[in-house]
């Protein structure tokens, strides 16, 4: 009996490897795969280089007192006056302005003014003054706001592109059903091995793309003048890779199910809504709430969004060592559960023809 079990295990593994190799070879020959990878690389360079080239328009500054206003007279800054220092600090904290120029009461400044900023020194404001004044930071940050936003955008964009790349699994499944190739495949390969092979194959393709990005990213950061980010972002990247891979496996299983419950490409849109929401939701959630510590903490433990949110918090230095371990464990557990559920639904729906098959019916159908 044990020998039969071992034989079945070896047979399942061999079938999975065969399907995975087929998926990898098919997509490596497809122009769309290389175009997609090229778009990711170009986007990475663009996000790193273009902000410094294009700039962000006029810098907004507030002043307190006549001496501060005179110091900024004739500059290219957008200047407005407020009544006192507390009002100026409030505007800086709310990020309505980049900095405030206020009277110096400590006699440290030769110009009689000093600059107040939030997280990092405002180089354009300091450069506009004839003599560099002292700079007070209300909430000093290890990384400036600009570089921080670049890292967050890169983390989110890579997750989005990889997550949406899983549509290839759904489209491939529907194509196999529509051309009746799937009937030949399941006659020689177990249905669950077919699903496992698709997930493994596309996951290996994703890992390969991640390795390419790991080589390209340092080059893009250096060209964009963000070399100092490399050392700071390295620990977060070390966590980002396993989170991204597990997140992709989670979505890949769901993309496969989305393709198995329909029989025509035209019907695929009706089954992809939930998966697309689980890709787009975390992307926009992290971008919109990157400065909200409470929301970002919650997102970092939700399996479908932790692949972005936890690495972002790690980069910002907002977590203890146990937190990514717990989040990764929750994500891994969810992956196992979803893959098992997807296997049952996939087996019950793969040979279905006709209109869209309800998940409940797919669950109750026999292999």
């Amino acid at each position: 009996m044990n020998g039969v079990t071992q034989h079945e295990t070896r047979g399942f593994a061999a079938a999975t490897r065969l399907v995975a190799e087929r998926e990898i070879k098919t997509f490596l020959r497809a122009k769309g795969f290389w175009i997609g990878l090229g778009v990711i690389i170009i986007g990475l360079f663009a996000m790193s280089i273009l902000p410094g080239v294009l700039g962000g328009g006029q810098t907004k500054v507030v002043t307190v007192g006549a001496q501060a206003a005179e110091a900024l007279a004739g500059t290219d800054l957008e200047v407005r006056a407020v009544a006192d220092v507390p009002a100026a600090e409030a505007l800086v904290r709310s990020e309505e302005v980049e900095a405030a120029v206020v009277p110096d009461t400590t006699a440290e400044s030769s110009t009689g003014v000093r600059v107040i900023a939030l997280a990092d020194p405002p180089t354009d404001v300091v450069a506009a003054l004839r003599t560099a004044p002292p700079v007070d930071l209300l909430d000093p940050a290890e990384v400036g706001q600009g570089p921080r936003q670049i890292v967050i955008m890169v983390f989110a964009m890579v997750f989005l592109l990889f997550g949406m790349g899983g549509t290839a699994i759904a489209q491939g499944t529907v194509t196999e059903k529509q051309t009746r190739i799937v009937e030949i495949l399941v006659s020689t390969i177990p249905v669950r091995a077919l699903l496992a092979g698709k997930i493994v194959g596309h996951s290996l393709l994703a890992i390969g793309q991640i390795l390419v990005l790991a080589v390209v990213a340092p080059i893009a950061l250096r060209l964009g003048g963000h070399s100092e980010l490399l050392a700071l972002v390295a620990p977060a990247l070390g966590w980002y890779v396993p989170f991204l891979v597990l997140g992709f496996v989670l979505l890949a299983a769901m993309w496969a199910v989305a393709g198995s419950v329909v029989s025509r490409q035209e019907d695929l849109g009706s089954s992809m809504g939930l998966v697309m929401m689980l890709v787009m939701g975390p992307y926009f959630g992290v971008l919109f709430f990157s400065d909200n510590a409470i929301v970002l903490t919650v997102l970092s433990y939700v399996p479908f969004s932790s692949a972005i949110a936890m690495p972002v918090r790690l980069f910002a230095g907002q977590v203890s060592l146990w937190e990514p371990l717990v989040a990764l464990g929750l994500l891994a557990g969810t992956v196992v559960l979803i893959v098992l559920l997807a296997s049952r639904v996939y087996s019950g729906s793969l040979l279905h023809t006709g209109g869209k098959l309800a998940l409940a019916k797919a669950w109750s159908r026999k292999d």
Side-chain angles (χ1 to χ4, degrees):
M1 184 69 178
N2 186 49
V4 174
T5 301
Q6 291 179 355
H7 176 73
E8 291 177 350
T9 301
R10 287 196 297 269
F12 181 86
T16 299
R17 184 176 65 253
L18 182 64
V19 175
E21 290 176 354
R22 172 178 173 268
E23 293 291 319
I24 293 173
K25 291 177 180 178
T26 298
F27 279 87
L28 288 179
R29 288 195 297 264
K31 292 181 180 179
F33 173 82
W34 296 106
I35 291 173
L37 180 58
V39 168
I40 296 176
I41 294 174
I42 293 172
L44 183 61
F45 276 93
M47 284 187 287
S48 179
I49 297 172
L50 288 183
V53 174
L54 300 178
Q58 278 190 310
T59 301
K60 296 181 179 180
V61 184
V62 294
T63 61
V64 176
Q67 190 172 8
E70 183 180 352
L72 293 178
T75 65
D76 292 331
L77 306 175
E78 183 179 332
V79 183
R80 67 186 236 203
V82 294
D84 51 35
V85 174
E89 289 184 355
L91 290 173
V92 173
R93 290 186 185 279
S94 66
E95 298 186 23
E96 292 184 38
V97 298
E98 184 173 337
V101 180
V102 303
D104 177 47
T105 58
T106 63
E108 295 179 359
S109 174
S110 60
T111 59
V113 297
R114 62 192 309 115
V115 175
I116 298 175
L118 184 62
D120 52 296
T123 54
D124 48 353
V125 177
V126 173
L129 297 168
R130 295 181 181 85
T131 303
V135 178
D136 299 327
L137 300 180
L138 300 176
D139 186 15
E142 190 174 10
V143 182
Q145 186 68 13
R148 181 174 182 272
Q149 288 302 317
I150 290 175
V151 172
I152 293 173
M153 287 179 63
V154 169
F155 280 177
M157 183 62 70
V158 170
F159 172 84
L160 175 66
L161 293 174
F162 275 79
M164 292 304 295
T167 56
I169 301 175
Q171 292 169 346
T173 300
V174 177
T175 299
E176 290 170 354
K177 293 183 67 173
Q178 204 165 2
T179 57
R180 314 297 288 249
I181 292 177
V182 69
E183 297 175 9
I184 300 174
L185 292 174
V186 299
S187 66
T188 56
I189 296 175
V191 175
R192 287 182 171 83
L194 185 59
L195 173 63
K198 287 181 176 293
I199 294 175
V200 170
H202 284 271
S203 296
L204 290 175
L205 286 170
I207 292 172
Q209 293 177 81
I210 292 171
L211 293 176
V212 171
L213 293 180
V215 174
V216 170
I219 300 173
L221 288 173
R222 288 193 179 95
L223 290 177
H226 306 296
S227 299
E228 74 282 355
L229 276 180
L230 292 176
L232 296 173
V233 79
L237 281 176
W239 286 101
Y240 185 55
V241 172
F243 270 103
L244 184 61
V245 171
L246 286 177
F248 180 82
V249 173
L250 179 64
L251 293 170
M254 300 185 69
W255 281 121
V257 169
S260 69
V261 296
V262 296
S263 303
R264 301 184 307 164
Q265 293 288 348
E266 295 84 351
D267 300 328
L268 189 55
S270 64
S271 66
M272 296 196 311
L274 176 60
V275 195
M276 291 187 70
M277 185 174 64
L278 292 174
V279 175
M280 302 296 292
Y283 170 75
F284 286 112
V286 170
L287 286 184
F288 291 157
F289 297 103
S290 60
D291 292 326
N292 189 316
I294 295 176
V295 175
L296 200 61
T297 299
V298 173
L299 291 176
S300 67
Y301 288 102
V302 176
F304 292 98
S305 58
S306 61
I308 316 176
M310 185 57 77
V312 166
R313 292 184 63 216
L314 281 160
F315 172 68
Q318 300 172 344
V319 301
S320 302
L321 178 60
W322 61 269
E323 292 188 73
L325 294 173
V326 171
L328 196 62
L330 289 173
L331 178 56
T334 304
V335 167
V336 173
L337 177 62
I338 292 297
V339 169
L340 291 175
L341 295 176
S343 176
R344 173 70 179 264
V345 175
Y346 188 83
S347 298
S349 60
L350 188 60
L351 294 178
H352 168 75
T353 58
K356 179 183 176 182
L357 182 66
L359 292 178
K361 290 184 178 180
W363 179 268
S364 61
R365 287 165 64 100
K366 294 186 180 295
D367 295 0

